[in-house]
Every structure is written in structure tokens, then in C-alpha cells.
């Protein structure tokens, strides 16, 4: 009987992997530790290739942690006439919800409230078209129920904060929602590690060569050359720092509110933007009694920052749209936190960034393949296409049926909030503690890694300030302990 693969990421494994790739070539070097890069690493490793992934900061440091946490069924793309992309999105949503990560994705009820002269028939036609995509993708109705009309009384039961005046009912539909986008990236990276991929964070690729890349270990300042038969540049909005590719980054901003302030429970609100056609904002309830309000689509010029900021204009816009359907008008004082991500959109010509296609592009020059564009939902397809483009293997992608860590059936009881985030590994996390688990098994090296990516405490500055001292103290204690082989966790 073969041993289960070791999926643990930690400082000791990082050091071993870095030493190994400094001395030994790999088949594929992946640059970028977001959802696409981690997906590429898993796809390649599962096909039998030797893989190293390098990330300048931490896993999920960039755009991948700033999404709306939605696993879209492609409805937005239908509105733009991109039927193929819409179908692809619906298929990939089904893969996540039913096969690879059902522990991380849940069905999210979404309500379009109908006030005044709302275009109910047009919106419902779109929702029904989205349900056709769901059926074509063979996602069961038991996972995502079909859309329907909801009377005003049901609307208010689902979303008590709705404005009552003029409410004529609503349209109720369902889509996928990630518990946490950063946790998806961590799960991908760990699953790839279990297949032999070497995942090295704090390793910045500064130049791509004809046979790999020059990399700087940002913990020590040492440089090394990692040799590889092929390179996949999955650096997202920073891809253009390594190759010649024209990107038009677009900022997607979100606000963080308390659920009580917004008057929401477990149902999201889809709000038509006044004066715009086929443009909506979302009020998205989270498992921690928060609500995310998003999102914008604004072009960004100039150098790409490590962490984008949310301008006051985006705050005002989002508060205004959300308030248009709520009983209580939202004010800046209600905002607990804010975050923004930059979409790595391929520049295909003139027109606003909101009109640029979300279809991904795979561009190969020599032994370097760059993958840009796309959406979090379709990361797996993007990864498969990128690995195919390297021509390193003729083995087809296997990731459509490959469960991620935590997706196995739960075998022993654990606190519900841990099951929601860790799936079948929740009992192990409960026994060890979340901070220790992050350090010993999820590659967390700093308090920021824990506050901002292994958990999302850092999304609310006040919560971050309250939690940081204790996490920093616990991290120091853990780092002072000797590393023992028993801490290695085998995938369930």
C-alpha cells in the first residue's frame, strides 16, 4: 500500500525545495502563486512533470485574494454575447462545486429586488438563460436550483434590510460562492505539493532566460538560476514585468460592512446600476457576519502596486448603488474595510475596460508561455491550456476529477466554522490550532500571511489590530520550536 502524499508546506520544506531546484533542473517553472499559477503547478504535476512554482511574496498575495469570492456561471458573458465563455464558466463552476472543491464552494441565493420600473422580464430572461447553461454543464438542480420569482414578503424574509417602498417582489437565482478565494489557492498549492511540485514563496523571478529564470530569495537576498525545460508566466498584472505583453489592468473595488448594517442574512442582493445597462453591483453575505459590496470596473494606469487601494470615488459609487435598494442609506461611517484587485486584462484595442473580454489568452514565445486574462472561476481551464501550450507532455489534463485537499468526506466531528474553511481537515486543525496549522501545513511564514491570507482577519483594520499581537506572539513561539517529521500531514 503506497503512502498518501505529503501536502504540508512550511519553512523547512521551502528550504529543501529551494536547495533542490538550485542544483537540479525541472520540467516546468511556474512564476506566480495566485490561482492560475497554483492551478498550473497542479495540472503539470498531476501529468507527471517535475514542477517548481516561485512566488515573489506569499501564496494568493495578488489579485486572487481580492475577488468577489463568486464562482460565476457565466451570466455576465451571455449579456456580452460570449456564449462559449459563458458555457466554459458554467462547466468550471460545476467542476468546483461537485468534484474538486465542494467543501470550499456553496450555493449562494441571489435576489434581484424589483422596485418601481425594474426590467423584470429582461432580467428573468437572462437568469433563465443562465439556468440553461447550468443544465448544459450538468450541474444538478439539487446543487444550484433554477431561478424563480419571489413575492415581496419572501424578499423581506430573505433580506430584511430591503427598502419596502415600491417593492414589487424579486427574482431569486443561485450561483456559486467561495468560502474564501485565498483558501482555494492554498488548497491548490498543497495539492500540487502532494503531487511532487516544489512550492517556493518569497522567491522573486527577476528575469526569464532561455533555460529558466534568475530568481532572488527575498528572505536572504541570494540569487540563483532555476533551470527548466519550459516556463509559465502566471504573474497576473505583473506578467508584463517579465515579458512583452500589453495589459490594461482594471480595478475591482469592494467594501466590507457588517451584515446587521446592511440588513442581510444569507441571501445576496444583485442591484442594477442606475442609468446603466447590463451592469450590476452585489451585496454578498459572508460566513463571518460581514457583507462585501462590489464591484467596480475602472481602468488603472501607471506602475502596478503590490496592494491596490480603494479611492473615495469607488466608495461613494458602491455606497450609492447599494443604498438604492436598502431601507437605510449607507454612509462612509458604515464601512469597516475595503479592498481592491486588479484584473490582468489583455489589451485588445479601444473601449472601456469593462468591455474587454474576460477570455484568457495563452501566449508562447520560445520556451516561455504567458497566461493572462480569464477569471477565477475558469482557473483550471486556463492552467490546462497553459500546460498544453508548453508541449512538455501529451498526457491530457487530469484536474477535472482531482479533489483538492479537504474535499474528502468528513470522518470525525469538528467545529462548523472550521469545517466551512478546511473541509475534512477540520478535525486536525481543531486539534492543532489555526495559527499552528497555517505555519506547519499551509506555508505561512509571517503574521501577515496568517492575518491576510490564511484567515481574512486583515480585511477589517480594527479586527487586524486586535488580533495581530496574539498571532505574532504565537508565531514567535512556533518558530522557536524544533521542526519534527511528525508535523508532516498526509492528504486524507
Amino acid at each position: 500500500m503506497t503512502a498518501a502524499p505529503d501536502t504540508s508546506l512550511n519553512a523547512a520544506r521551502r528550504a529543501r525545495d529551494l536547495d533542490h531546484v538550485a542544483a537540479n533542473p525541472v520540467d516546468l517553472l511556474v512564476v506566480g502563486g495566485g490561482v492560475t499559477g497554483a492551478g498550473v503547478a497542479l495540472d503539470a504535476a498531476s501529468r507527471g512533470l517535475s514542477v517548481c512554482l516561485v512566488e515573489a511574496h506569499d501564496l494568493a498575495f495578488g489579485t486572487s485574494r481580492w475577488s468577489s469570492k463568486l464562482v460565476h456561471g457565466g451570466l455576465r458573458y451571455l449579456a456580452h454575447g460570449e456564449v462559449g465563455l459563458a458555457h466554459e464558466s458554467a462547466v468550471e463552476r460545476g467542476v468546483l462545486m461537485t468534484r474538486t472543491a465542494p467543501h470550499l464552494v456553496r450555493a449562494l441565493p441571489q435576489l434581484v429586488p424589483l422596485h418601481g420600473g425594474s426590467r423584470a422580464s429582461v432580467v428573468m430572461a437572462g437568469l433563465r438563460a443562465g439556468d440553461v447553461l447550468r443544465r448544459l454543464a450538468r450541474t444538478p438542480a439539487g446543487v444550484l436550483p433554477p431561478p424563480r420569482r419571489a413575492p415581496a414578503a419572501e424578499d423581506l424574509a430573505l433580506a430584511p434590510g430591503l427598502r419596502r417602498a415600491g417593492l414589487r417582489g424579486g427574482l431569486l437565482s443561485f450561483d456559486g460562492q467561495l468560502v474564501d478565494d485565498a483558501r482555494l489557492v492554498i488548497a491548490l498549492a498543497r495539492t500540487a505539493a502532494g503531487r511532487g511540485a516544489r512550492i517556493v514563496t518569497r522567491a522573486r523571478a527577476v528575469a526569464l532566460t532561455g533555460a529558466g529564470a534568475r530568481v532572488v530569495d527575498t528572505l536572504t537576498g541570494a540569487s540563483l538560476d532555476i533551470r527548466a525545460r519550459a516556463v509559465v508566466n502566471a504573474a497576473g498584472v505583473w506578467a508584463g514585468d517579465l515579458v512583452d505583453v500589453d495589459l490594461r489592468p482594471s480595478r475591482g473595488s469592494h467594501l466590507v460592512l457588517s451584515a446587521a448594517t446592511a440588513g442581510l442574512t444569507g441571501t445576496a442582493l444583485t442591484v442594477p446600476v442606475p442609468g446603466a445597462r447590463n451592469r450590476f453591483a452585489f451585496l454578498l453575505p459572508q460566513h463571518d457576519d460581514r457583507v462585501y459590496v462590489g464591484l467596480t470596473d475602472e481602468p488603472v494606469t501607471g506602475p502596478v502596486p503590490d496592494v491596490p487601494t480603494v479611492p473615495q470615488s469607488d466608495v461613494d459609487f458602491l455606497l450609492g448603488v447599494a443604498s438604492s435598494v436598502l431601507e437605510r442609506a449607507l454612509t462612509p461611517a458604515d464601512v469597516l474595510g475595503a479592498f481592491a484587485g486588479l484584473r490582468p486584462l489583455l489589451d485588445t484595442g479601444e473601449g472601456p475596460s469593462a468591455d474587454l473580454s474576460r477570455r484568457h489568452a495563452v501566449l508562447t514565445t520560445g520556451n516561455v508561455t504567458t497566461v493572462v486574462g480569464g477569471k477565477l472561476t475558469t482557473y483550471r481551464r486556463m492552467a490546462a491550456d497553459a500546460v498544453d501550450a508548453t508541449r512538455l507532455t501529451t498526457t491530457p489534463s487530469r484536474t477535472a476529477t482531482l479533489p483538492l485537499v479537504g474535499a474528502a468526506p468528513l470522518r470525525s466531528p469538528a467545529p462548523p466554522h472550521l469545517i466551512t474553511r478546511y473541509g475534512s481537515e477540520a478535525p486536525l486543525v481543531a486539534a492543532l490550532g489555526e495559527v499552528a496549522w497555517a505555519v506547519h501545513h499551509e506555508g505561512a511564514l509571517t503574521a501577515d500571511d496568517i492575518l491576510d491570507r490564511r484567515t481574512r482577519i486583515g480585511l477589517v483594520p480594527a479586527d487586524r489590530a486586535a488580533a495581530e499581537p496574539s498571532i505574532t506572539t504565537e508565531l514567535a513561539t512556533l518558530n522557536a520550536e524544533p521542526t519534527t517529521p511528525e508535523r508532516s500531514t498526509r492528504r486524507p
Side-chain angles (χ1 to χ4, degrees):
M1 182 176 180
T2 58
D6 182 2
T7 64
S8 295
L9 298 175
N10 48 53
R13 183 168 182 169
R14 175 191 180 276
R16 293 194 303 270
D17 285 348
L18 198 55
D19 286 344
H20 181 89
V21 297
N24 301 279
V26 295
D27 292 325
L28 181 64
L29 173 64
V30 183
V31 179
V35 70
T36 305
V40 170
L42 175 56
D43 188 282
S46 67
R47 299 198 211 187
L49 298 175
S50 60
V51 179
C52 176
L53 179 150
V54 293
E55 159 58 43
H57 299 286
D58 181 30
L59 295 170
F61 182 85
T63 303
S64 293
R65 64 170 158 146
W66 303 130
S67 77
S68 298
K69 313 318 182 252
L70 289 175
V71 179
H72 284 293
L75 186 58
R76 178 187 186 277
Y77 313 133
L78 277 183
H80 286 77
E82 296 186 278
V83 178
L85 181 57
H87 179 257
E88 177 181 282
S89 189
V91 168
E92 293 303 320
R93 177 185 63 183
V95 168
L96 278 163
M97 297 190 76
T98 63
R99 285 178 259 167
T100 61
H103 61 305
L104 294 178
V105 188
R106 69 182 183 96
L108 176 69
Q110 294 181 298
L111 181 69
V112 181
L114 302 175
H115 287 97
S118 302
R119 299 162 62 227
S121 59
V122 174
V123 177
M124 179 53 92
L127 296 178
R128 286 175 176 152
D131 192 55
V132 170
L133 290 176
R134 189 265 306 166
R135 291 187 303 232
L136 290 174
R138 299 185 178 179
T139 304
V143 174
L144 288 173
R148 61 177 176 83
R149 285 183 172 268
E154 184 180 3
D155 294 351
L156 293 171
L158 294 172
L162 276 175
R163 175 164 55 86
R164 288 159 172 75
L167 183 63
R168 299 186 293 107
L171 307 177
L172 185 65
S173 63
F174 294 81
D175 213 338
Q177 182 184 37
L178 275 167
V179 170
D180 187 341
D181 45 10
R183 295 220 60 79
L184 174 63
V185 178
I186 303 301
L188 285 166
R190 289 185 54 214
T191 308
R195 296 273 171 163
R198 301 180 187 276
I199 309 296
V200 184
T201 59
R202 267 74 180 191
R204 181 184 297 276
V206 294
L208 303 185
T209 67
R214 169 59 59 92
V215 174
V216 174
D217 178 354
T218 62
L219 295 183
T220 65
S223 297
L224 66 149
D225 289 318
I226 298 179
R227 292 168 292 155
R229 293 168 58 201
V231 177
V232 169
N233 174 13
V237 286
W238 297 278
D241 294 344
L242 297 170
V243 299
D244 184 15
V245 60
D246 293 327
L247 298 178
R248 289 178 59 188
S250 168
R251 183 182 64 246
S253 295
H254 297 79
L255 310 180
V256 183
L257 312 175
S258 77
T261 296
L264 296 189
T265 53
T267 299
L269 296 182
T270 300
V271 185
V273 175
R277 183 178 180 182
N278 292 328
R279 188 180 179 191
F280 298 85
F282 304 96
L283 283 79
L284 303 165
Q286 308 299 309
H287 64 89
D288 57 358
D289 295 323
R290 308 291 193 198
V291 169
Y292 299 158
V293 181
L295 86 158
T296 61
D297 199 331
E298 298 297 329
V300 176
T301 58
V304 177
D306 281 348
V307 179
T309 57
V310 178
Q312 188 62 43
S313 56
D314 284 6
V315 174
D316 294 340
F317 167 77
L318 292 171
L319 290 176
V321 175
S323 296
S324 70
V325 298
L326 297 179
E327 188 74 18
R328 176 185 178 278
L330 301 173
T331 71
D334 296 319
V335 178
L336 302 178
F339 61 91
L342 300 181
R343 306 174 183 90
L345 302 180
L346 187 67
D347 190 352
T348 57
E350 298 298 324
S353 61
D355 292 337
L356 294 181
S357 175
R358 267 50 176 176
R359 183 176 297 280
H360 65 273
V362 177
L363 314 169
T364 300
T365 302
N367 75 333
V368 177
T369 295
T370 297
V371 54
V372 293
K375 297 286 287 182
L376 181 146
T377 303
T378 57
Y379 82 86
R380 195 199 64 81
R381 178 64 181 273
M382 295 166 64
D385 288 350
V387 175
D388 286 345
T390 67
R391 298 188 177 182
L392 290 175
T393 177
T394 57
T395 300
S397 176
R398 297 171 172 175
T399 53
T401 56
L402 182 61
L404 304 185
V405 290
L410 188 67
R411 295 178 180 175
S412 56
H417 74 281
L418 294 182
I419 295 173
T420 298
R421 295 174 56 76
Y422 298 95
S424 62
E425 294 187 316
L428 301 173
V429 179
L432 191 59
E434 285 194 85
V435 174
W437 182 265
V439 171
H440 293 314
H441 303 297
E442 294 186 339
L445 300 178
T446 69
D448 287 350
D449 293 351
I450 297 167
L451 288 162
D452 297 331
R453 290 168 289 277
R454 304 310 180 278
T455 71
R456 305 314 293 273
I457 295 171
L459 287 176
V460 176
D463 293 348
R464 191 185 212 285
E468 186 170 13
S470 62
I471 288 178
T472 300
T473 299
E474 185 174 355
L475 183 62
T477 301
L478 291 167
N479 287 336
E481 295 175 354
T483 301
T484 60
E486 302 81 69
R487 287 209 176 99
S488 176
T489 291
R490 304 289 168 175
R491 192 174 68 187

